[in-house]
Structure formats: structure tokens, C-alpha cells
Amino acid sequence: MASKLFSHLNNHPRTKLAIQLSFATIFIPSIPILFWSHNAKKEREEREHEVATKLRIPSVQTIDDLMVEKCQPGDVLLFDRRCDYCASGFVAAMACYVGKAILCEEDDGTRSVERGKYEHCGIVVPGLSASKGAQHDPSNLCLLEATSGSGITCRPLLTRLEMSRSRSVILLPLSCPGERRYESDDDEGVGLTEQTKVLKEQTHNELSKFRDKWLTDSHTQQYDKQHSYLSIMGAMLYQTGLYATFPIPISPSAWLVVSALQECGAAMKLNEKQSQQTKVEDFTRDGRFFEKDTVRLRPGWKFLAPVVLRETSSSA
């Protein structure tokens, strides 16, 4: 019966025309998408090869090397990404575009950065190396972030900066109580009180535990297949005002970073949904002066003035 029905439909002229039009409607628009996806993946592979084979002269530091030396576990990086360079597929690019369109507001004078639409972020964590002296080695620092292609990833910070094709990358240095960042004495750990040293050591250990836990959970729960869809759903729920009803993060990358800051004791944990309702651009507002659309840190903790790690023209 079913075979006769399909045979009748296939022999019907209008059915054939409808099938052809449906195929054309789906296939023709997908051609530029497939072309873009191929070029994006090819460009990413070329970039990876370029970074991997980069000639590094001993005792000669690049600007990225100098920037990484100033980073510490707990620092936050904000990315103003170029969505057309997303090499993880069409859905990942759409998540980027939707995030910028909905979650990135026009500068109203309350942000600590003048320009840019930041919809992705990551947190600096201790590296995976357990060798002697690696704990305080800047070259061992990694960036923990939520991504579409690899789920929760932990990549060397220097490599991540060199691989980035973002328009702008901003560093928000995290300062704990009693710490004075970017002073020559404190760079070597001299001048810190014992209480501050203990606090920094605790932050280091808690971020290491957080890193291991989330990397394991990401692998077991196959988060890499969920990130893009969660990003789109979170942005749409925020747009409709229904985000408080559903246990879905508005921005998965911001959710990860705020959760890490709460875990190490730097950020306040006012309620269970606080980290889920945080946007990336909330990091650009000082929680000491704003109560809304900001990341609230615990007393004594603060983000220092933003540092530009990478910036290109908006048309590049």
C-alpha cells in the first residue's frame, strides 16, 4: 500500500515539481554556507600550523610573551570575536552572531572599556604540568573556556592568544585583598603579607580543582555538542525575558567563568542562578559601583583596569 502511494506521488507532475522546489530551496542557500565553512576550517588549520611552526628565538620575548608574564590564575579574558572566523560550523557562527546581537548592548558610559562587543570569555587557570617550579611559571598558565568545537577546554594561554582572530582581547586582572599588582616587588611575591600569600595559594589550588572537574564533566557529558545550542537558547530566553524561569545560562562562557570565581572565593554567590544569569559584558562594569548587570566580587577582591592584549580594526 505504501509503495503504491509513493509510486503515485512520484509520478504526479505537481509532486515532482514540489520535490524539486523543496530541494532547490534547501540546497541552493546551503552552497555559500558550505563554502564559508570550508574556508573557515582551512584558515583555522593554516593558523594552527603557523603557530605550531613559529620560530622562537631563546631569550627573545614577543609582546604576547610579555603579556602572558603579567597574567595570574583568576584573571579574566574577554573576546570581541569575529563570527565569520568560527571554524566549528554554522551553528557555532550563528551562536556568535545571536550573542552579539542580543547580549551585547550599546556603550552607555558604564563600561570600563570604550568599544567592542564582548560575547565570549575565559579564565586563566594553572596549567596541567606538575613538574617542579611549574606552579608559578607564567608559561604554564592556561585559559579555561567553554567552546563549541571542543567543549570545556584548557589550552596554554600563549597559544590561545596567538591563535585568536578576535577583533579585541581584553585582560581583567584579578586582585585579591592585600595584593598590589604590577609592582616590581609583588611580581616576585615580595611584599605580600602571609595572609595574602595563603589566599593566593588557596585560589591557585581551588582553580586547579575546578579545572579538573569541569574538564572531566565536559568529556563525560559531551558538552561540545551542546554549547552552541545552549548559547542560542540562552540569548533567546534573555531577549524574551524568560531566562529566570529556565535553568539555562544566558551565556555559557560567562557562566563557567563566574562559577570558577565563586569556587575560588573571589566572587559572591548571592543565589544559585547568579552565575547562569551573567553576561560577558557584565565583567566590564565595576561591581563596587553598580548593582545590576555586573559581577559582584567579595570584599577586598577587585578587577584592575582593563589591559588590551590584542586589538585590530573593526573592519579587519
Side-chain angles (χ1 to χ4, degrees):
M1 182 67 179
S3 60
K4 290 183 179 180
L5 178 60
F6 285 123
S7 176
H8 175 71
L9 290 175
N10 289 333
N11 293 329
H12 199 284
R14 291 186 178 180
T15 303
K16 285 186 175 181
L17 179 61
I19 294 175
Q20 292 173 355
L21 290 176
S22 300
F23 178 77
T25 303
I26 297 174
F27 179 73
I28 293 178
S30 66
I31 293 177
I33 296 176
L34 293 173
F35 180 75
W36 160 81
S37 179
H38 173 74
N39 285 343
K41 291 180 180 179
K42 182 179 179 181
E43 194 277 337
R44 172 65 64 84
E45 292 173 355
E46 292 176 351
R47 185 71 173 177
E48 289 178 347
H49 178 74
E50 178 185 345
V51 172
T53 58
K54 183 177 180 179
L55 179 62
R56 303 183 187 276
I57 304 175
S59 302
V60 176
Q61 292 181 307
T62 64
I63 295 179
D64 288 333
D65 292 324
L66 296 174
M67 290 295 186
V68 168
E69 282 190 352
K70 295 297 183 181
C71 295
Q72 295 181 10
D75 292 349
V76 176
L77 268 65
L78 309 181
F79 295 84
D80 178 9
R81 297 190 298 174
R82 291 188 282 190
C83 302
D84 52 311
Y85 278 85
C86 290
S88 299
F90 174 72
V91 181
M94 283 300 300
C96 179
Y97 280 115
V98 171
K100 282 183 175 291
I102 296 178
L103 303 181
C104 298
E105 303 173 356
E106 295 294 332
D107 186 13
D108 55 0
T110 63
R111 303 194 315 172
S112 57
V113 292
E114 295 182 356
R115 59 182 179 179
K117 291 187 175 183
Y118 300 93
E119 47 74 47
H120 181 72
C121 61
I123 184 169
V124 179
V125 296
L128 300 173
S129 176
S131 59
K132 185 178 180 180
Q135 178 176 346
H136 301 289
D137 185 1
S139 63
N140 188 44
L141 293 176
C142 291
L143 187 70
L144 187 71
E145 56 185 334
T147 66
S148 297
S150 306
I152 307 296
T153 63
C154 182
R155 288 177 283 187
L157 182 56
L158 178 60
T159 302
R160 180 64 178 88
L161 286 176
E162 293 177 338
M163 283 292 300
S164 176
R165 303 306 301 270
S166 299
R167 290 189 180 92
S168 179
V169 181
I170 300 294
L171 168 68
L172 297 179
L174 180 67
S175 177
C176 69
E179 182 184 16
R180 295 174 296 173
R181 292 283 297 268
Y182 302 142
E183 295 186 13
S184 57
D185 288 343
D186 283 353
D187 286 343
E188 301 296 331
V190 180
L192 296 177
T193 64
E194 288 299 323
Q195 184 178 3
T196 302
K197 291 181 180 179
V198 171
L199 191 58
K200 290 180 68 65
E201 188 70 21
Q202 179 182 349
T203 301
H204 182 284
N205 295 335
E206 292 299 328
L207 286 175
S208 297
K209 295 177 183 178
F210 182 88
R211 174 203 65 203
D212 296 339
K213 177 181 181 299
W214 281 72
L215 288 177
T216 302
D217 290 346
S218 173
H219 177 71
T220 56
Q221 299 180 17
Q222 297 183 328
Y223 178 76
D224 56 317
K225 299 179 180 179
Q226 308 172 32
H227 177 80
S228 297
Y229 298 101
L230 279 176
S231 299
I232 295 175
M233 290 176 61
M236 297 302 295
L237 288 174
Y238 178 79
Q239 179 72 7
T240 57
L242 299 175
Y243 60 91
T245 307
F246 297 89
I248 297 177
I250 294 176
S251 170
S253 62
W255 170 49
L256 175 70
V257 173
V258 174
S259 298
L261 292 174
Q262 291 176 340
E263 192 71 20
C264 71
M268 291 184 178
K269 192 172 184 180
L270 302 178
N271 54 67
E272 294 182 357
K273 292 188 176 182
Q274 179 188 7
S275 58
Q276 295 181 354
Q277 297 177 0
T278 301
K279 306 184 300 295
V280 174
E281 293 210 342
D282 291 350
F283 285 97
T284 64
R285 297 180 180 88
D286 196 329
R288 295 172 297 176
F289 307 110
F290 300 96
E291 294 186 0
K292 185 180 179 182
D293 296 331
T294 185
V295 176
R296 303 289 298 277
L297 300 181
R298 298 180 66 182
W301 294 83
K302 60 182 177 180
F303 286 119
L304 302 182
V307 179
V308 178
L309 298 184
R310 186 70 56 83
E311 188 169 24
T312 58
S313 62
S314 58
S315 60

